Amino acid sequence: SKCLDRMTIDIPDSARIVLFQEEKFKNYYNELHWALNEYDKVRSKIIPVTLMVLRPHLRDMEYKLRPGMITLTWTSMNIDAYKAHIHAGLRRFEELVTNINDIIENRIEKNLKIVSKTLLVDLPDSQSFTVEEFVKMLEKHIAKQSTLLQGKNLEIEFAVRDLVKVISAYKLDGHVEGVSEGEISKLKKHYNHFMYQALLHCAKNSMNALKKRIGSRPVIESTHLIIKQTARTSPVLNRHGVNDISSTSTTTTATVQPFF
């Protein structure tokens, strides 16, 4: 149209109208292109485990974008309203994904790492103990760590509940079906399973630390037998010390109840 106009050749009125609105149409294009890129960027931030429960939210956002792909044209009168609608939807959706990621990373996964790295035994390298002292000292430490584990279990439980609440509270378009109870249940079971794995890792590391400590240096001294670094483990230690601590450690992890 520009070339024809410069050549003083008559152009159709419709083409002239488009020419006069060139800047406005370019602005529409840039803003809509930005909106699509922003949608892809927000979608890429979704943590895989939450993808299924966020399917309705993705469909809701795609429903908001659909008029631009089906009904709107460059001469439509409601393009500005459409832009405002999708920009508001993108802000809400990005806020939802950010809140979900924050809960998972800072309240769930962080606590799961703390649980898995917790040791139920405290074995000073520079001290030796009688069997009775050894058992009492570790029982006291295990009781303290048990309180920590119970607290972390509750923190993770509340975090998962808040996660479900945030996902369920998001207002969807009336044409979009909400999150199914089955998907919510799968999400809860997922983190329940990971809590179990963290506790298992905690107990396993504790038993390995106990085994390593006993096998590396003297940890128990008895009135009848001093365990030497090169000698076999004392039967008294096996029977009265390690078994008691192992039993207490196992009981401690078992007292942490599944939260769903």
Side-chain angles (χ1 to χ4, degrees):
S1 296
K2 281 185 177 180
C3 291
L4 293 174
D5 188 53
R6 288 169 185 167
M7 295 169 64
T8 67
I9 297 175
D10 289 337
I11 58 176
D13 291 340
S14 58
R16 193 175 298 278
I17 291 172
V18 171
L19 181 61
F20 290 154
Q21 300 182 86
E22 178 184 4
E23 289 302 320
K24 183 175 75 171
F25 290 153
K26 283 183 177 179
N27 184 54
Y28 283 160
Y29 171 81
N30 290 333
E31 290 194 27
L32 295 175
H33 188 262
W34 173 86
L36 291 175
N37 287 339
E38 192 70 9
Y39 172 66
D40 289 337
K41 185 179 78 173
V42 174
R43 182 167 181 166
S44 68
K45 294 179 181 177
I46 296 176
I47 297 175
V49 69
T50 62
L51 183 60
M52 293 305 296
V53 291
L54 289 179
R55 283 283 177 85
H57 306 75
L58 291 170
R59 285 196 294 268
D60 178 75
M61 197 61 233
E62 289 168 1
Y63 186 81
K64 288 180 173 66
L65 294 169
R66 187 179 302 170
M69 297 180 284
I70 299 176
T71 58
L72 291 180
T73 66
W74 292 116
T75 57
S76 298
M77 301 296 293
N78 58 343
I79 293 180
D80 289 324
Y82 170 73
K83 289 193 307 175
H85 185 59
I86 61 173
H87 287 173
L90 280 170
R91 283 194 297 271
R92 287 182 61 239
F93 185 55
E94 183 176 19
E95 183 181 350
L96 172 70
V97 173
T98 301
N99 288 342
I100 289 173
N101 291 353
D102 179 64
I103 292 173
I104 291 176
E105 292 171 4
N106 296 316
R107 296 177 58 191
I108 298 179
E109 292 183 351
K110 185 176 180 180
N111 281 327
L112 286 173
K113 288 178 182 178
I114 291 174
V115 170
S116 66
K117 292 179 180 180
T118 298
L119 287 179
L120 299 174
V121 293
D122 182 23
L123 304 168
D125 291 334
S126 58
Q127 293 177 265
S128 295
F129 315 91
T130 64
V131 174
E132 292 76 12
E133 290 172 342
F134 175 74
V135 173
K136 286 181 180 179
M137 180 188 71
L138 289 193
E139 282 181 344
K140 184 178 179 180
H141 180 74
I142 289 171
K144 178 182 176 182
Q145 297 300 79
S146 176
T147 302
L148 171 68
L149 294 178
Q150 292 284 4
K152 293 302 176 184
N153 184 58
L154 283 176
E155 287 182 29
I156 294 171
E157 177 182 352
F158 291 147
V160 173
R161 292 185 188 277
D162 288 344
L163 178 63
V164 171
K165 188 182 297 183
V166 167
I167 292 172
S168 302
Y170 187 89
K171 188 176 181 181
L172 301 171
D173 190 275
H175 297 82
V176 179
E177 187 177 351
V179 185
S180 69
E181 287 298 324
E183 294 300 335
I184 292 293
S185 179
K186 287 179 183 178
L187 182 66
K188 292 178 179 178
K189 288 179 180 178
H190 172 82
Y191 285 113
N192 201 29
H193 170 73
F194 270 88
M195 182 62 189
Y196 169 78
Q197 291 295 326
L199 288 171
L200 189 63
H201 201 262
C202 163
K204 184 178 178 180
N205 285 346
S206 299
M207 294 302 100
N208 286 337
L210 181 62
K211 178 182 177 182
K212 182 178 179 181
R213 178 67 177 87
I214 292 172
S216 62
R217 293 187 59 183
V219 66
I220 302 291
E221 62 181 12
S222 171
T223 54
H224 302 291
L225 177 65
I226 301 295
I227 302 173
K228 296 182 180 180
Q229 188 169 353
T230 56
R232 293 196 301 268
T233 303
S234 164
V236 175
L237 173 61
N238 277 333
R239 186 167 60 252
H240 298 299
V242 176
N243 287 346
D244 286 352
I245 295 304
S246 299
S247 177
T248 306
S249 301
T250 306
T251 304
T252 296
T253 56
T255 59
V256 180
Q257 297 297 319
F259 39 77
F260 296 109

